[in-house]
Amino acid sequence: MNTSASNNMMSSASASGKDGQSPGIKTYFKSPEGKYKLQYEKTYPAGLLQYAHGKTATQVTLAYLKDKPVQTSSSSSLGIGGGVRSAAARFLAGGNGNRLHSFAGGSKLASSTNSRIGSLGTSISNSVAGNSNFDGKGTYLIFNISDAIFISDLNSHDKEPMKSIHFGNSNPLCHAFDPDTKDGHDLLIGLNSGSVYSVSLSQQLQDVGKKLVGAQHYNKDGSVNNSRCTCVAWAPNGDGAFIVAHADGNMYVYEKNKDGTGDASFPVINDQTQFSVAHARYSKNPVSRWHICEGSINSIAFSSDGVYIATVGRDGYLRVFDYKNEQLIWGGKSYYGALLCCAWSMDGKYIITGGEDDLVQVWSMEDRKVVAWGEGHSSWVSGVAFDSYWSAPNSDGVVENVVYRFGSVGQDTQLLLWDLVMGELVVPMRRPSCGSPTFSSGSQSTHWDGGFPVGTLQPAPGMREVPKLSPIVVHRVHTEPLSGLALTRESILTVGGEGHIKIWMRPCFAEYQSRNSGSLLSMSSNEKPSLTGKVVR
């Protein structure tokens, strides 16, 4: 490595020795639009190192709080701001990939009483001790390691988190944030014991302790399902409805305004391989149980309008459901092994998945089929995301093509970026009886011929029947296997499975900061992500 590259290595990384930074990993990577530069990193406190390995894989949730919350108790010790942040930190505050959230919590949180949290060996408390580092707004990273949830200020270059919440005898595995909550509880946390909590993120940040504050407990002591929570999600426009998926193939719908004690009176599932929906007999949570598949549900994702929900699982199938009508629309099989992750394009036209076949699959809602396979990872694909903040460069051509940018990370420690240009996909034809396979641009292979009835689960197509994509960027970003990625308007976040998070500044923002390191960029935080598909002329 040359001297300039060595100087770019983060000194704090080498000093700590625990964040996965290696002299063999560059602090930038090139893309067609310019360089993405490593801005800073986030990780867990050093004291947790002995407990971190082999317990959980880190998931990251981005959460944006716009306004100072309504206080639930005296909080004269709350500070307004945590000191003057650097220009770079201010610069990052413009966007975060979530819609803005006006927080107005209060009465429900204050009504909670001190109680034990099931078998966790910790307690819920209503005390709100002032946290001088919390000023009531900003962008926060929520991530899990071992038996703890950590909260870090994305706009601060502090390496370690500002807040930790410990769960004692159970490990948090998944979480989700609702930017449009109406009653204060905006954060879901799912544990390997099966328990789920809804809490106010803002209230957790105000409290200096390491216990949950004002939490609502669901599936307590595994009363409904004692298998581990694999993923949680808020239903868009759902008025407080949320989904919890479990390792036994069941998915439950909850409503925040109903009793959280649990209703275990669902009927026995006769055929584990068939999709079925059962509703609760009483007006309690969960309100319904969806049996999805045999084996674990590994990831769930709502379309941006909340109409559809996609699931991927241990059995290797992507399934797409009409959420309101509780109907399986269609599904498809991976080329090999389990599917581990999924994500929707903002316009709802495409779904990307990744899994144990080392492929990134692109699925079309219109065609109800896989329409492209991305080849480039050398191990399991653990995280995928469409980039709704990326803008396609202008082209001199006259033909309009819709371009989608998405990213993927895997256990091969690499980040890959992809461009999907639908008008340029080369559709392979079936192999003839002799000779080489033939390919045709724009014509349809037999894989696309004919429609499938609603609710059909399609087998995996042959390797020669699906167009192949090659990545535009391949970069080793960590020394440890990756567990996910997140995208903001300013940066790409890569998530190491052992609790290390790297923030890579996008080219235009990195260049601005290099030229104007002492000044601030004024940006509107009201800007929402545009549709993922960009039209190139």
Side-chain angles (χ1 to χ4, degrees):
M1 178 178 294
N2 59 39
T3 303
S4 60
S6 300
N7 291 336
N8 283 334
M9 289 296 177
M10 301 184 67
S11 58
S12 57
S14 59
S16 68
K18 67 180 178 66
D19 56 3
Q21 186 63 43
S22 164
I25 297 180
K26 294 181 179 180
T27 56
Y28 68 90
F29 59 87
K30 294 180 180 179
S31 71
E33 57 268 18
K35 284 184 179 181
Y36 286 76
K37 295 183 179 179
L38 179 61
Q39 195 65 19
Y40 50 95
E41 302 178 44
K42 300 286 187 178
T43 191
Y44 52 82
L48 192 73
L49 183 62
Q50 58 182 312
Y51 305 108
H53 299 286
K55 294 283 185 84
T56 61
T58 299
Q59 177 191 335
V60 161
T61 295
L62 282 168
Y64 186 77
L65 296 176
K66 179 184 178 183
D67 297 324
K68 188 174 296 183
V70 176
Q71 303 301 328
T72 58
S73 65
S74 174
S75 56
S76 58
S77 59
L78 280 177
I80 307 300
V84 179
R85 293 183 176 132
S86 67
R90 294 285 190 187
F91 171 71
L92 270 175
N96 67 332
N98 285 297
R99 287 170 287 180
L100 297 185
H101 163 57
S102 297
F103 184 88
S107 59
K108 284 193 176 183
L109 303 182
S111 65
S112 299
T113 58
N114 290 343
S115 62
R116 301 296 291 178
I117 306 183
S119 60
L120 297 182
T122 187
S123 63
I124 298 176
S125 170
N126 279 321
S127 63
V128 182
N131 184 346
S132 61
N133 291 324
F134 175 60
D135 62 3
K137 56 187 175 182
T139 307
Y140 297 93
L141 286 178
I142 302 158
F143 63 99
N144 59 286
I145 277 292
S146 190
D147 68 341
I149 286 280
F150 297 101
I151 306 173
S152 182
D153 185 349
L154 177 62
N155 301 328
S156 167
H157 284 216
D158 291 341
K159 197 179 194 70
E160 294 193 354
M162 59 185 291
K163 171 74 177 182
S164 62
I165 302 171
H166 293 263
F167 291 84
N169 297 328
S170 190
N171 292 342
L173 302 178
C174 49
H175 28 86
F177 178 77
D178 179 10
D180 297 319
T181 187
K182 296 178 180 178
D183 67 357
H185 278 213
D186 49 14
L187 178 62
L188 292 173
I189 302 171
L191 308 183
N192 66 351
S193 64
S195 286
V196 181
Y197 298 94
S198 69
V199 297
S200 159
L201 172 61
S202 186
Q203 194 175 11
Q204 309 314 306
L205 287 166
Q206 293 174 64
D207 188 82
V208 296
K210 295 184 177 182
K211 311 297 182 185
L212 283 178
V213 178
Q216 177 67 50
H217 194 177
Y218 305 90
N219 192 29
K220 185 175 182 180
D221 298 327
S223 60
V224 177
N225 191 314
N226 61 8
S227 66
R228 72 180 188 276
C229 294
T230 55
C231 35
V232 292
W234 294 100
N237 310 312
D239 294 327
F242 61 90
I243 308 296
V244 180
H246 288 265
D248 65 352
N250 287 308
M251 186 172 78
Y252 296 86
V253 180
Y254 290 81
E255 294 179 1
K256 283 195 296 184
N257 59 356
K258 292 186 182 296
D259 187 354
T261 56
D263 178 5
S265 58
F266 293 108
V268 174
I269 300 169
N270 295 320
D271 188 346
Q272 293 287 332
T273 65
Q274 295 298 311
F275 167 64
S276 63
V277 178
H279 296 89
R281 299 176 185 176
Y282 311 105
S283 183
K284 293 183 179 181
N285 273 313
V287 298
S288 63
R289 179 197 67 197
W290 295 33
H291 179 71
I292 304 297
C293 58
E294 187 174 19
S296 175
I297 302 170
N298 292 329
S299 181
I300 58 178
F302 274 99
S303 59
S304 59
D305 58 8
V307 173
Y308 299 105
I309 184 170
T311 71
V312 293
R314 174 68 253 172
D315 65 355
Y317 278 97
L318 163 72
R319 292 173 173 86
V320 180
F321 301 91
D322 182 322
Y323 173 64
K324 181 178 179 180
N325 294 317
E326 301 177 330
Q327 182 181 23
L328 174 63
I329 302 300
W330 63 279
K333 183 78 165 58
S334 67
Y335 182 71
Y336 170 82
L339 289 176
L340 305 175
C341 50
C342 62
W344 287 84
S345 63
M346 282 296 294
D347 57 12
K349 292 182 178 181
Y350 296 95
I351 305 167
I352 47 176
T353 62
E356 295 178 355
D357 55 12
D358 305 350
L359 298 172
V360 178
Q361 297 98 354
V362 182
W363 307 79
S364 167
M365 277 294 289
E366 180 180 358
D367 296 317
R368 297 184 183 179
K369 297 179 179 72
V370 61
V371 294
W373 277 338
E375 297 179 327
H377 281 287
S378 58
S379 187
W380 294 0
V381 179
S382 50
V384 290
F386 275 96
D387 190 349
S388 59
Y389 297 94
W390 173 81
S391 295
N394 292 327
S395 171
D396 295 332
V398 295
V399 178
E400 292 187 1
N401 279 329
V402 179
V403 184
Y404 294 80
R405 168 67 61 83
F406 58 91
S408 61
V409 294
Q411 295 193 10
D412 56 6
T413 73
Q414 295 189 118
L415 165 69
L416 275 59
L417 297 182
W418 313 78
D419 279 354
L420 176 67
V421 187
M422 294 309 300
E424 296 181 2
L425 282 179
V426 177
V427 182
M429 303 296 291
R430 282 191 171 181
R431 187 183 182 94
S433 58
C434 59
S436 301
T438 58
F439 296 85
S440 174
S441 178
S443 61
Q444 303 294 302
S445 79
T446 53
H447 179 60
W448 277 260
D449 291 342
F452 288 87
V454 171
T456 300
L457 292 179
Q458 305 163 30
M463 182 60 76
R464 298 182 182 276
E465 294 184 345
V466 182
K468 306 306 188 295
L469 290 178
S470 295
I472 61 168
V473 170
V474 178
H475 184 66
R476 186 180 182 227
V477 289
H478 291 241
T479 58
E480 66 196 76
L482 298 174
S483 59
L485 80 162
L487 304 169
T488 76
R489 186 171 53 189
E490 296 85 11
S491 57
I492 293 178
L493 284 66
T494 54
V495 184
E498 296 180 357
H500 312 303
I501 304 160
K502 295 186 178 183
I503 293 89
W504 304 86
M505 189 73 75
R506 293 181 186 269
C508 56
F509 292 94
E511 291 171 8
Y512 176 89
Q513 189 178 27
S514 297
R515 295 194 307 266
N516 304 276
S517 58
S519 62
L520 303 179
L521 176 61
S522 177
M523 300 180 65
S524 171
S525 57
N526 288 319
E527 182 179 335
K528 293 184 179 180
S530 58
L531 294 183
T532 302
K534 314 296 182 181
V535 176
V536 177
R537 300 178 185 275

